Amino acid sequence: MKKIYKGILILTLGMVSACDSLLDIDPEFTQDAENFFNTQEDFDRAIIGVYDMMQPAYLNMWIGEIASDNAIAGGESVNDSRGLHEIENMSHGGVNEELRAVMRVNYTGIARANYIFENQDNIDFDGKALILSEAKFMRAYFYFNLVNYFGDMPLIVDRRISINEITSAERTPMATIYAQIETDLEEAIEVLPWTVSETGRLTKGAAMALLGKVLLYQDKYAEAATVLGELIDDNQAGYALFDDYSTLFYNENRNVAEDVFTIQFSGLQGGDYGCLVCLNGNAAVGFQSIRQYNGPLYADGNSYNLPTQDLYEAFAEGDIRREATVLDIEAFIAAQPNPDEITYAIGGGGHTGYYNNKYIKRLNERGLPDDDLTSPLNYRAIRWADVLLMAAEAFQRSGNDGRARTELNKVRERVDMPEINSSDEALYQAILDERRFELSGEGLRFFDLVRTGQAASRISGFVSGQHEIFPIPQVEIDLAGGIWQQNPGY
């Protein structure tokens, strides 16, 4: 089976070369736009360029966990990725490199998608509608990220985003952006196939799952229940829960029936520490692994994104997801036949005794040549268990507790946990709790707490009316000439 990997070609997107430019993250080697989009191969290469911009998924994974009660920033010191430590402490402001990277990466992805739409009428060929549908899906995904992080943002479609345009554009209300996201996904659903021959290509099921998520985030529960219920009932792709949760996140179990929307990686390098967005591998894995570790099963890393004791203790005894999600390093070492020979180091950025056991470097899963940067572990943006739990929430909130329990208990049955038989608000809370047990370590927790109104009661230092969204990077406000107002409280 063929597999889609990072593209060779990187297009110019109307960006200028100054280092402070809003969207200037592309390398210097570029394709002359005037001589492009004249063949089917050009469109094929261009859509791979859009796929590339989904690969900085480590940003969502880090921020979605570190901003919540699930993890601390960790790392070598508090000055090592200072922005993550500020997010952990809810002291982040307009100067934050990680948040700036979120904005730049997603707008670059939008620009690459829009570049295809700008040239869509150049030629006709079989398969063009499919490429345009993939571009619509990814544009929706990028805008969804932006509104969740920053709220109102400039909405530009069907053309490249030039420096002059983006810095003179007013911020568009979230409701308008959400309407465009829904339109893009609905149109993509009409064209995308249920299954693909090239692993990693987007599908109808992935678009339906993302649309259901988008609707859920807007509290459109009945609409979300309709979309997600149809996906579950029709399910022509054969999605299913993977039997063994304890090994689900092993490299050997990539691209299984549980994977609905997955961002693909390989063990090749592509970039380096100076250009993490250029990588072919999943950067999160090496960064989250055990510092200076020398022992069995695992390999050494940089001790970022460390799970909290609160997360570890949230799991019920006997729930196999606890060990699959959170590695208790001291307990693991003590259980080995040679514990005195196993060593590791503690970083100055904080230590909890726990590591993210889903996205962690294992000895037999390392890429080459710098295996801190070349993990082949895919990032599961949406998996089937998430679809079932989103559906359970949507059904419960729209008055169908019976169907909600059905979908919730499918997830619990997989890990041999007892059925939930509650109703009303108790059932709703059980669904939200199950999302933590099932999905922790995957970058969703902060956004779940915010959208359900539980962030202030769960996150230390969280200020209601401020921390639901992140600050606009100050340098982008400056580049926009002050027409962008900072988000409240920052």
Side-chain angles (χ1 to χ4, degrees):
M1 180 179 290
K2 293 193 295 181
K3 184 168 183 174
I4 183 171
Y5 283 125
K6 198 169 179 69
I8 298 173
L9 179 69
I10 297 181
L11 302 173
T12 54
L13 299 171
M15 305 176 196
V16 299
S17 60
C19 63
D20 287 333
S21 298
L22 181 70
L23 301 178
D24 177 29
I25 69 170
D26 275 345
E28 294 180 359
F29 51 92
T30 56
Q31 169 73 40
D32 181 1
E34 299 304 318
N35 298 315
F36 204 66
F37 290 110
N38 294 318
T39 68
Q40 179 176 347
E41 182 184 9
D42 291 344
F43 279 86
D44 289 338
R45 296 167 75 190
I47 197 64
I48 297 302
V50 188
Y51 274 96
D52 282 354
M53 296 315 301
M54 294 197 296
Q55 290 194 305
Y58 62 88
L59 292 167
N60 285 347
M61 196 184 309
W62 289 347
I63 295 172
E65 297 296 309
I66 291 167
S68 78
D69 52 350
N70 272 0
I72 68 169
E76 183 177 7
S77 72
V78 295
N79 294 315
D80 183 24
S81 298
R82 176 181 288 275
L84 294 178
H85 287 273
E86 293 171 349
I87 290 170
E88 173 198 337
N89 296 322
M90 290 288 123
S91 62
H92 48 279
V95 180
N96 187 293
E97 288 303 313
E98 283 71 29
L99 294 176
R100 190 184 187 204
V102 169
M103 182 174 293
R104 289 155 63 88
V105 161
N106 284 286
Y107 265 123
T108 300
I110 291 165
R112 291 186 181 191
N114 285 353
Y115 200 17
I116 294 174
F117 291 114
E118 184 179 340
N119 292 276
Q120 64 181 312
D121 296 328
N122 287 16
I123 62 169
D124 287 317
F125 57 89
D126 290 340
K128 186 172 77 169
L130 180 59
I131 287 176
L132 296 178
S133 295
E134 291 175 302
K136 288 175 182 177
F137 179 112
M138 288 184 278
R139 181 169 65 186
Y141 171 73
F142 296 132
Y143 269 123
F144 183 55
N145 285 336
L146 287 170
V147 295
N148 277 305
Y149 275 91
F150 305 112
D152 300 347
M153 293 301 296
L155 174 66
I156 299 173
V157 295
D158 297 335
R159 62 187 183 278
R160 282 169 288 178
I161 306 173
S162 71
I163 284 294
N164 289 337
E165 184 172 14
I166 197 68
T167 56
S168 62
E170 297 284 350
R171 294 172 67 184
T172 305
M174 287 177 59
T176 303
I177 300 175
Y178 267 124
Q180 179 63 49
I181 292 170
E182 291 179 31
T183 296
D184 275 346
L185 290 173
E186 288 165 355
E187 292 178 358
I189 288 168
E190 293 300 313
V191 176
L192 291 173
W194 279 105
T195 60
V196 292
S197 59
E198 192 171 9
T199 304
R201 288 282 187 179
L202 295 167
T203 63
K204 183 187 299 287
M208 293 177 71
L210 183 56
L211 177 58
K213 184 174 183 177
V214 167
L215 294 168
L216 193 65
Y217 271 54
Q218 299 175 81
D219 297 341
K220 295 181 177 180
Y221 300 116
E223 294 176 54
T226 297
V227 172
L228 295 169
E230 181 182 343
L231 173 57
I232 294 167
D233 295 339
D234 197 359
N235 192 13
Q236 294 185 38
Y239 299 120
L241 297 174
F242 187 72
D243 287 340
D244 184 5
Y245 191 95
S246 65
T247 63
L248 174 59
F249 286 85
Y250 283 23
N251 186 52
E252 66 191 43
N253 293 324
R254 294 188 301 167
N255 300 311
V256 294
E258 183 151 348
D259 294 327
V260 178
F261 170 27
T262 302
I263 297 172
Q264 303 286 318
F265 293 97
S266 77
L268 304 176
Q269 189 153 332
D272 55 29
Y273 286 96
C275 187
L276 294 182
V277 300
C278 303
L279 295 176
N280 291 295
N282 187 343
V285 176
F287 275 84
Q288 293 175 178
S289 296
I290 311 162
R291 183 171 293 272
Q292 297 178 26
Y293 176 79
N294 184 15
L297 186 61
Y298 299 103
D300 74 295
N302 299 306
S303 64
Y304 276 72
N305 195 12
L306 304 175
T308 60
Q309 185 172 353
D310 181 83
L311 172 59
Y312 186 81
E313 293 179 347
F315 290 92
E317 289 297 328
D319 190 337
I320 64 171
R321 292 174 296 188
R322 178 167 69 180
E323 282 67 35
T325 301
V326 182
L327 169 65
D328 181 338
I329 186 62
E330 290 297 331
F332 171 79
I333 292 173
Q336 303 309 306
N338 58 335
D340 293 340
E341 299 175 16
I342 302 172
T343 59
Y344 71 99
I346 295 173
H351 181 65
T352 64
Y354 303 114
Y355 295 85
N356 185 329
N357 212 13
K358 290 180 175 177
Y359 293 99
I360 194 170
K361 195 195 303 182
R362 298 179 178 88
L363 285 171
N364 64 346
E365 297 180 347
R366 292 175 295 174
L368 294 172
D370 184 343
D371 62 23
D372 273 352
L373 303 176
T374 56
S375 171
L377 282 175
N378 293 338
Y379 176 62
R380 291 175 160 114
I382 302 178
R383 53 188 177 88
W384 192 239
D386 191 4
V387 170
L388 297 178
L389 291 175
M390 287 192 294
E393 183 181 344
F395 281 117
Q396 196 287 318
R397 292 283 89 179
S398 56
N400 190 341
D401 280 5
R403 181 65 187 269
R405 282 190 294 269
T406 296
E407 306 309 333
L408 168 62
N409 286 321
K410 288 177 185 177
V411 176
R412 292 180 63 80
E413 181 181 10
R414 190 253 297 265
V415 291
D416 297 321
M417 296 303 290
E419 284 191 357
I420 297 292
N421 295 307
S422 55
S423 301
D424 303 323
E425 288 303 309
L427 175 59
Y428 176 56
Q429 188 58 52
I431 294 167
L432 300 186
D433 290 342
E434 196 69 22
R435 288 189 63 80
R436 191 183 194 194
F437 306 146
E438 178 69 27
L439 302 168
S440 285
E442 302 177 42
L444 307 180
R445 176 65 171 171
F446 174 78
F447 302 102
D448 275 350
L449 289 174
V450 166
R451 69 179 181 81
T452 58
Q454 299 188 358
S457 64
R458 298 294 308 169
I459 301 173
S460 178
F462 186 96
V463 177
S464 297
Q466 176 184 354
H467 288 136
E468 287 83 0
I469 54 177
F470 293 96
I472 302 293
Q474 185 59 46
V475 64
E476 316 299 5
I477 294 176
D478 295 341
L479 287 169
I483 67 169
W484 293 359
Q485 298 297 311
Q486 185 56 276
N487 284 330
Y490 293 108

